[in-house]
């Protein structure tokens, strides 16, 4: 996390990444064209890529360097979020290389070594490598083992070697532990960057500044003033072309131990003693460790699963999950999860954290809503005011990144009537810069060796520990009512009941 303090409205102060070659395994996939290359382009346009830099794509497909450059040129024109400036791309294009091969074949790694020697000569890169594993997860361990055997991850003569591991990191607690063990037998923890792209999002990072860089919020950020917290990660998309993966994963594995719990950790962590990566990660890890484990009975009452059936979105009919490509027509995979968690700490004792995430929901909206306790009603007794609404502070993570605060105000007139008003801050309106995709910050951090926004082994395992009881109960008891929500709704009724039972309701609802 680059810390700049000079100019409030510009992305200045960050230093460019160290000279290096970025080697992307699985470079012909969606992640590279939709997110990685556009993010690298944005870094270049902010002058944050090192001058001596190269990208080497590795997949099984056959491309020459030239063909791969042409492919990425077509892709960037399609997926860049800002118009592509020719002179910037002309700088970038010759720095792209390609190596084809089978990830399981040791000769690939020898060929890659030779290729990198050529790259270093042509681009003046010193031999520092950033390996990005954007492959199917079953290759993570294999690729790292092979990189080790080919001595591609040895840090000698002042060069560094780092590995970015994409999600999913394991399928459950045991497999995550096994993967950690496997990769740590080859790499040092400080060489491993387990990515969670939610931590690259501007508003997620802003949570720390908001909480700890302002005097007024932290004193009320606790059980005395906060009634509950709602975290919604709502998507309108279905499973798109990823039915094959998704049908074996489900919403719980796909979104909760990683993205959603990272949002919990950012919201609930204690102030770290510094911005040092370990200080920040220690505090986040403590929150994950303090989540009360759910008993099997709790899972039945505090966790809700759902699967979408056919419905309507944007006034158009959309099919149910079981009719999506590569999905089993009798699938019992959940596409929606809601759960209530508690954090065992002095700050959060008694404060429910309600989480929900799902596909094909009514709105694309990711937000953290902090609901404060109501003011006492007594002053308004005998007036027209029947109930006071609670103050709500909402961190809007996407799509409109910003922060809003809801409070009560008197509606002008002779009678005492109150209305809920919103004070809104939108990043784009205020700072005038289009927020980055999220991968820019993360890629840059890897190039400068800052792991603050990456998951440490203990954090990944703590995340899985939270969801493991739910996985166990759900595996043992197949759902009987799937599909149980219509595409375009806010999920199954049981998710509303979860809050209603406790006299609360979701902020975002139909
Ligand atoms: C990914 C999940 O990690 O995050 C996807 O695998 C999900 O299923 C995506 O759609 C959501 O990311 P974002 O940035 O669009 O909220």
């Amino acid at each position: 996390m680059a810390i700049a303090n000079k100019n409030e409205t510009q992305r200045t102060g960050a230093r460019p990444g160290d000279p290096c070659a970025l080697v992307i395994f699985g470079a012909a996939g969606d992640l590279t064209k939709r997110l990685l290359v556009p993010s690298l382009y944005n870094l270049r346009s902010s002058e944050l890529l090192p001058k001596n830099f190269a990208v080497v794509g590795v997949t099984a497909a056959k491309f020459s360097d030239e063909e791969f450059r042409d492919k990425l040129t077509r892709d960037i024109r399609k997926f860049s979020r800002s118009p592509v400036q020719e002179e910037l791309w002309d700088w970038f294009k010759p720095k792209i290389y390609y190596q084809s091969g089978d990830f399981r074949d040791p000769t690939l790694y020898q060929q890659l070594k030779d290729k990198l020697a050529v790259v270093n000569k042509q681009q003046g890169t010193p031999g520092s490598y950033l390996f990005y594993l954007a492959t199917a997860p079953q290759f993570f361990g294999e690729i790292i083992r092979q990189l080790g055997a080919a001595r591609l991850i040895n840090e000698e003569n002042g060069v560094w070697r780092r590995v970015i591991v994409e999600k999913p990191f394991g399928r459950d607690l045991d497999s995550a532990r096994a993967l950690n063990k496997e990769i740590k037998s080859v790499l040092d923890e400080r060489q491993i960057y387990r990515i969670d792209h939610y931590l690259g999002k501007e508003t997620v990072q802003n949570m720390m500044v908001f909480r700890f860089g302002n005097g007024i919020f932290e004193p009320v950020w606790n059980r005395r003033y906060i009634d509950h917290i709602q975290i919604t990660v709502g998507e309108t998309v279905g499973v798109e072309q990823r039915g094959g993966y998704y049908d074996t994963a489900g919403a719980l594995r796909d979104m909760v131990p990683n993205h959603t719990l990272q949002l919990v950790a950012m919201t609930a962590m204690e102030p770290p003693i510094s911005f040092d990566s370990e200080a920040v990660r220690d505090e986040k890890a403590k929150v994950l460790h303090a989540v009360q484990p759910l008993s099997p009975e709790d899972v039945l009452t505090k966790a809700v699963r759902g699967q979408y059936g056919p419905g309507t979105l944007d006034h158009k009919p959309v099919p149910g999950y079981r009719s999506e490509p590569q999905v089993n027509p009798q699938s019992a995979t959940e596409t929606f999860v809601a759960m209530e968690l508690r954090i065992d700490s002095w700050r959060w004792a008694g404060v429910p954290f309600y989480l929900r995430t799902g596909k094909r929901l009514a709105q694309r909206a990711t937000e953290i809503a902090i609901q404060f306790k109501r003011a006492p009603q007594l002053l308004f007794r005998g007036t027209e005011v029947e109930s006071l609404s609670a103050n709500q502070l909402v961190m809007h993570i996407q799509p409109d990144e910003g922060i809003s605060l809801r409070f009560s105000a008197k509606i002008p007139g002779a009678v005492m009537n109150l209305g809920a008003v919103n004070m809104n801050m939108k990043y784009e309106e205020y700072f005038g810069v289009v927020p980055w995709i999220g991968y820019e910050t993360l890629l840059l951090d890897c190039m400068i060796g800052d792991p603050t926004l990456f998951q440490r082994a203990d954090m990944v395992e703590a995340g899985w520990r939270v969801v493991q009881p739910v996985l166990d109960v759900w595996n043992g008891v197949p759902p009987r009512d799937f599909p149980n929500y219509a595409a375009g709704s806010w999920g199954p009724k049981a998710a509303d009941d979860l809050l209603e039972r406790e006299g609360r309701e979701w902020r975002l609802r139909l």
Side-chain angles (χ1 to χ4, degrees), residues 22-70:
L22 168 65
V23 180
I24 307 175
F25 287 89
D30 255 23
L31 185 74
T32 305
K33 68 178 178 204
R34 285 177 190 272
L35 299 166
L36 298 184
V37 175
S39 299
L40 290 169
Y41 173 83
N42 287 348
L43 281 175
R44 166 63 192 156
S45 103
S46 304
E47 295 181 11
L48 290 171
L49 275 190
K51 286 202 178 66
N52 299 102
F53 180 69
V55 175
V56 184
V58 186
T59 71
K62 296 258 181 282
F63 286 107
S64 65
D65 288 343
E66 215 37 65
E67 284 166 341
F68 194 61
R69 286 171 189 163
D70 289 341

Side-chain angles (χ1 to χ4, degrees), residues 167 197-198 201 235 242 254-255 259 359 364 398:
K167 67 174 276 276
H197 77 279
Y198 264 59
K201 292 184 194 283
E235 297 188 272
R242 299 163 69 228
D254 189 45
M255 297 296 287
H259 307 325
K359 301 272 185 203
R364 175 169 182 247
Q398 59 191 21

Side-chain angles (χ1 to χ4, degrees), residues 28-340:
D30 255 23
L31 185 74
T32 305
K33 68 178 178 204
R34 285 177 190 272
L35 299 166
L36 298 184
V37 175
S39 299
L40 290 169
Y41 173 83
N42 287 348
L43 281 175
R44 166 63 192 156
S45 103
S46 304
E47 295 181 11
L48 290 171
L49 275 190
K51 286 202 178 66
N52 299 102
F53 180 69
V55 175
V56 184
V58 186
T59 71
K62 296 258 181 282
F63 286 107
S64 65
D65 288 343
E66 215 37 65
E67 284 166 341
F68 194 61
R69 286 171 189 163
D70 289 341
K71 173 187 160 18
L72 294 192
T73 305
R74 288 191 298 277
D75 292 342
I76 187 78
R77 296 204 197 297
K78 193 158 166 208
F79 294 109
S80 173
R81 299 193 185 173
S82 50
V84 178
Q85 292 178 37
E86 291 311 320
E87 74 274 17
L88 293 188
W89 188 249
D90 288 348
W91 176 91
F92 201 95
K93 197 174 166 190
K95 298 184 185 306
I96 299 170
Y97 296 81
Y98 186 77
Q99 175 65 54
S100 81
D102 181 338
F103 302 145
R104 287 160 297 197
D105 180 0
T107 51
L108 164 65
Y109 300 84
Q110 290 310 322
Q111 288 165 343
L112 181 60
K113 216 170 174 177
D114 296 343
K115 186 95 198 182
L116 284 166
V118 174
V119 169
N120 290 337
K121 227 184 209 147
Q122 292 183 352
Q123 302 299 338
T125 37
S128 294
Y129 304 142
L130 183 54
F131 297 103
Y132 198 123
L133 308 192
T135 64
Q138 68 263 30
F139 293 116
F140 294 167
E142 170 88 34
I143 294 173
I144 290 174
R145 236 190 355 263
Q146 299 262 16
L147 287 171
R151 298 186 62 76
L152 273 162
I153 43 131
N154 292 54
E155 298 185 321
E156 288 155 0
N157 307 322
V159 302
W160 50 254
R161 305 280 163 86
R162 298 175 188 142
V163 181
I164 304 181
V165 187
E166 258 297 335
K167 67 174 276 276
F169 197 94
R171 279 187 56 75
D172 52 21
L173 180 55
D174 285 347
S175 56
R177 275 190 183 136
L179 183 57
N180 269 331
K181 195 161 170 229
E182 185 176 10
I183 66 180
K184 282 167 74 165
S185 68
V186 181
L187 294 161
D188 199 87
E189 178 65 34
R190 80 189 152 71
Q191 293 177 287
I192 309 170
Y193 288 70
R194 297 175 194 79
I195 206 161
D196 183 319
H197 77 279
Y198 264 59
L199 294 177
K201 292 184 194 283
E202 203 72 61
T203 330
V204 177
Q205 290 169 55
N206 192 35
M207 190 62 145
M208 281 226 287
V209 175
F210 184 82
R211 288 186 54 198
F212 307 132
N214 292 297
I216 62 170
F217 301 113
E218 211 37 36
V220 295
W221 208 264
N222 58 49
R223 68 189 152 93
R224 290 185 62 192
Y225 299 97
I226 293 178
D227 179 73
H228 72 276
I229 289 175
Q230 300 183 6
I231 299 184
T232 294
V233 182
E235 297 188 272
T236 50
V237 291
V239 288
E240 302 178 292
Q241 302 315 311
R242 299 163 69 228
Y245 149 75
Y246 195 88
D247 208 33
T248 60
L252 181 64
R253 287 190 173 92
D254 189 45
M255 297 296 287
V256 180
N258 33 62
H259 307 325
T260 317
L261 287 184
Q262 282 302 315
L263 300 183
V264 171
M266 281 294 204
T267 310
M269 70 194 274
E270 295 299 317
I273 52 165
S274 72
F275 271 126
D276 174 74
S277 62
E278 293 323 298
V280 174
R281 297 199 293 180
D282 284 348
E283 293 307 334
K284 284 169 44 182
K286 278 189 211 162
V287 172
L288 298 174
H289 284 293
V291 173
Q292 250 177 39
L294 294 179
S295 68
E297 294 73 43
D298 288 339
V299 173
L300 298 176
T301 54
K302 293 184 185 297
V304 174
R305 56 184 152 171
Q307 186 194 75
Y308 63 87
T312 313
L313 254 163
D314 273 343
H315 311 290
K316 289 189 205 104
V318 291
Y321 175 69
R322 290 176 178 177
S323 314
E324 300 277 14
Q326 297 167 48
V327 168
N328 174 352
Q330 273 100 44
S331 175
T333 300
E334 81 284 351
T335 59
F336 176 96
V337 183
M339 55 202 283
E340 177 186 335

